[in-house]
Amino acid sequence: MATRTRKSAPERKSEIIVAALRLAAEIGPDRLTTEALAREVGISQAGIFRHFPTKADIWDAVAEHIGKMLREKAAANKNIAGLPVDQLRKFVCGHLGFLETTPAIPAILFSRELHASNDKLRAFFAGLIASRQRHFAKLIQAEIDAGRFKAGLSADDAAYLILALIQGLAMRWSLNARSFDLVEEGRRLLELQLAGFAVTA
C-alpha cells in the first residue's frame, strides 16, 4: 500500500484552492460542497476545515488567488507598446484568454447565491470590475484626445460598454458549454464596438 506524502499547510491550502476552482468550473460554485472538495483533494472534510474553518473562508482564499493571478498578468502586460486602442485590444483579448483558461471565474462571477452570502467575494469582484473600467476609460480617453475616437464620446460610458461586452460574452460562452473560441469571438465583437467609437473619414 502506497504511503501518502504529508504536505505542508501552505501546500495543502493551495491544493484546496486549486481544487475549488476546478470543481467550480465543472459543477458550478453553488453546488460545490466541502465533501466534494475533500474527495477531490483526497483528504477528510475535517482536513478541509483545519485549513479553512468555514466555506466562506475557502471562497475568500479563491478570490485572493484569482486576484494574485490577475495582478501577475497585469504586471507582465504593463508595458504593452502601441497606440492606446491597440493596448485596449491586447488587454481585452488577454483577459478573455485568462477566462478561457480559468473557466471558474465566470461561474463565480454570475453566481447569485454565492454573492448573496459572501459580501467579501462580491466586493472583490466589484473592485475588479471598477479597476478594469478605469483602465479602459483611460485608454479610450487617450484615443479621444488624439482625435481617433469621437469627441463627444464619454470615455467612462465607452469603458462600461466594453466591460458589458466581456461579461455578456463570458456568460454566453459559459451557457453554451464553452463551445466556441472566447478570444476570437471577443476580438470580432470588440472590433465592431471600436468601429462605433472611431471618427469616420
Side-chain angles (χ1 to χ4, degrees):
M1 184 169 124
T3 56
R4 193 161 60 182
T5 306
R6 185 174 179 82
K7 296 185 178 177
S8 68
E11 286 174 324
R12 186 64 80 191
K13 286 178 87 165
S14 178
E15 189 178 31
I16 293 167
I17 291 165
V18 170
L21 274 170
R22 186 166 56 248
L23 285 174
E26 290 173 8
I27 64 174
D30 298 335
R31 294 177 60 201
L32 178 61
T33 63
T34 52
E35 183 181 359
L37 194 52
R39 271 197 312 271
E40 184 75 9
V41 176
I43 60 176
S44 66
Q45 266 186 288
I48 297 286
F49 289 120
R50 269 197 297 275
H51 297 288
F52 297 102
T54 69
K55 199 172 174 184
D57 291 327
I58 296 171
W59 288 119
D60 290 346
V62 166
E64 286 175 18
H65 180 71
I66 292 170
K68 182 183 175 189
M69 287 193 293
L70 286 170
R71 284 192 298 274
E72 287 171 355
K73 187 167 184 60
N77 295 330
K78 192 173 183 180
N79 298 315
I80 294 175
L83 297 173
V85 69
D86 294 327
Q87 294 176 44
L88 184 61
R89 286 184 177 105
K90 289 175 185 173
F91 193 97
V92 169
C93 290
H95 188 68
L96 290 170
F98 179 72
L99 293 179
E100 210 165 38
T101 58
T102 319
I105 293 176
I108 295 168
L109 185 59
F110 301 123
S111 169
R112 185 174 178 84
E113 183 181 330
L114 189 60
H115 289 195
S117 61
N118 192 319
D119 290 339
K120 190 172 178 182
L121 190 65
R122 185 172 60 251
F124 166 77
F125 278 109
L128 179 63
I129 289 168
S131 171
R132 292 291 176 265
Q133 190 275 340
R134 287 192 299 271
H135 183 62
F136 291 169
K138 181 180 175 184
L139 294 173
I140 291 164
Q141 187 61 55
E143 286 295 308
I144 294 169
D145 294 343
R148 289 184 289 269
F149 281 178
K150 294 169 184 173
L153 181 68
S154 162
D156 281 336
D157 288 347
Y160 280 123
L161 284 173
I162 292 176
L163 276 172
L165 185 155
I166 293 169
Q167 291 166 3
L169 185 58
M171 178 174 273
R172 177 158 67 89
W173 178 69
S174 186
L175 290 173
N176 283 276
R178 307 170 201 152
S179 59
F180 60 88
D181 188 313
L182 186 59
V183 176
E184 285 309 309
E185 182 70 350
R187 185 177 284 116
R188 183 183 74 81
L189 293 174
L190 179 62
E191 289 309 317
L192 289 174
Q193 188 78 77
L194 295 176
F197 298 163
V199 171
T200 53

